[in-house]
């Protein structure tokens, strides 16, 4: 087991789906000999989607490189994509990171930063169809690995993603130990965690709720992409 | 689907295993018509086990009742159990809460507050044997429901726990919709998430690491319990 020092940088932005970040952060905080930073424009508390705020540990100016870059998703991704300082930082760190990664709609942020052109990538199932906008090929899998891009599916996929990444970085024995420590032996109460399992009516109900919460979100993303030259 | 208003109160304390809280908080933040609070002694940022801090939304003095009380776990549980203000608040809220719940070693905090006497309860697999200290009967299941006590296993069990609780509180259709929205279709990379699956050598390695990180923790908990009259 290698114990070379590692720098992990998560992008943190307002209205992040906090579990997209806190799930993998829990796993990756146990890589050993690693520094984990939550990076934002300033050190002010960042409001999440779940009614509470998380404190960044560093600013964009503080962090000029990372071994692992990880971008979470959520309804705040559009605002993140619209923000030049955010996208510039993601592009800059992603250019030299050993692992360029995301969870959920975080892959759209990586895409907007130009980091997924010609790569296969994962995303939340309901937004996966937007990846080609940024030159990425959507893959309907929970964790998608293409060279040094490791991208997870929606929200809870971040735990599977981070355990896979742990195995890549520290070896399988280390990853198995973390899986045991976090008692990751999941038992979903319902067989409804993917559009295929949930069925058409459940998917349509989801789409209706999103259309209320974030009307026109696909068109908005297309406009944001166009503004960034895609 | 009922939409009666709900008040959810999570205990937040230093060195909490943050996923014990952030996992169920993600699920329960989608109960609809619910107020979710992270409650601590003061509003100062609370350092978690993962290298970052979370902001409480309310103090013990602010929150005098809740429909759902949820206590997460982690290496900080001993300090939480040693703290009179914390245990007094948990006991007070738990006395009248509709649902008294925990994730991971949070059940030991509920126990120390006298809320699990005569109840079956879950816990992180490695600390489950300590539950009888507080008059609770340990159960080796991912989610344990005994009357209005709903207690989860270790860390990631918080997601299963919160989906089960969602079904109890808002009905199965609502819980299925949240499961789909959070894409909870888990795919653990290794078959190592429980002591039974991981095997004896992995369990022994875990116990050795804990003995280094928190030497004598069972004896310390026994002393704390004795001080509280157990």
């Amino acid at each position: 087991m290698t114990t070379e020092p590692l720098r992990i940088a998560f992008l943190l932005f307002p209205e992040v789906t906090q579990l997209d970040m806190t799930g993998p952060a829990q796993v990756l905080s146990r890589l050993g000999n690693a520094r984990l930073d939550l990076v934002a424009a300033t050190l002010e508390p960042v409001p999440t989607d779940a009614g509470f705020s998380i404190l960044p540990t560093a600013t964009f100016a503080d962090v000029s490189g990372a071994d692992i870059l990880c971008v979470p998703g959520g309804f705040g991704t559009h605002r993140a994509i619209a923000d030049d300082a955010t996208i510039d930082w993601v592009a800059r760190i992603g250019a030299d990171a050993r692992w360029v990664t995301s969870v959920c709609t975080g892959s759209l942020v990586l895409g907007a930063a130009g980091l997924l052109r010609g790569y296969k990538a994962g995303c939340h199932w309901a937004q996966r169809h937007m990846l080609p906008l940024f030159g990425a090929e959507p893959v309907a899998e929970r964790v998608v690995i293409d060279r040094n891009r490791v991208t997870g599916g929606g929200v809870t996929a971040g735990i599977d993603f981070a355990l896979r990444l742990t195995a890549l970085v520290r070896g399988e024995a280390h990853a198995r130990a973390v899986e045991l420590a976090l008692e990751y032996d999941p038992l979903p109460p319902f067989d409804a965690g993917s559009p295929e399992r949930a069925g058409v009516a459940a998917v349509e109900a989801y789409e209706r709720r999103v259309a209320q919460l974030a009307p026109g979100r696909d068109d908005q993303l297309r406009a944001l992409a166009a503004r960034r030259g895609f």
Side-chain angles (χ1 to χ4, degrees), chain A residues 26 74 76 83 96 99 122 184 203 217 220 223:
Chain A
Q26 190 67 53
D83 183 64
D96 295 319
W99 300 99
Y184 190 45
V203 169
R217 83 167 162 172
Q220 285 162 17

Side-chain angles (χ1 to χ4, degrees), chain A residues 8 62-63 74 129-130 172 187 190 216:
Chain A
I8 307 158
D62 295 332
V63 177
H129 62 282
M130 301 305 284
E172 179 175 326
L187 193 66
F190 309 106

Side-chain angles (χ1 to χ4, degrees), chain A residues 140-192:
Chain A
E141 287 174 9
R142 205 146 166 89
V143 183
V144 180
I145 303 176
D146 184 357
R147 288 156 283 173
N148 76 333
R149 269 55 171 174
V150 188
T151 50
V155 199
T156 55
I159 296 169
D160 301 316
F161 147 81
L163 286 166
R164 292 282 296 276
L165 186 62
T166 296
L168 289 168
V169 172
R170 293 292 198 216
E172 179 175 326
H174 190 101
R176 292 177 67 98
V178 175
E179 199 176 291
L180 175 62
L182 301 180
E183 206 171 328
Y184 190 45
D185 186 22
L187 193 66
F190 309 106
D191 189 25

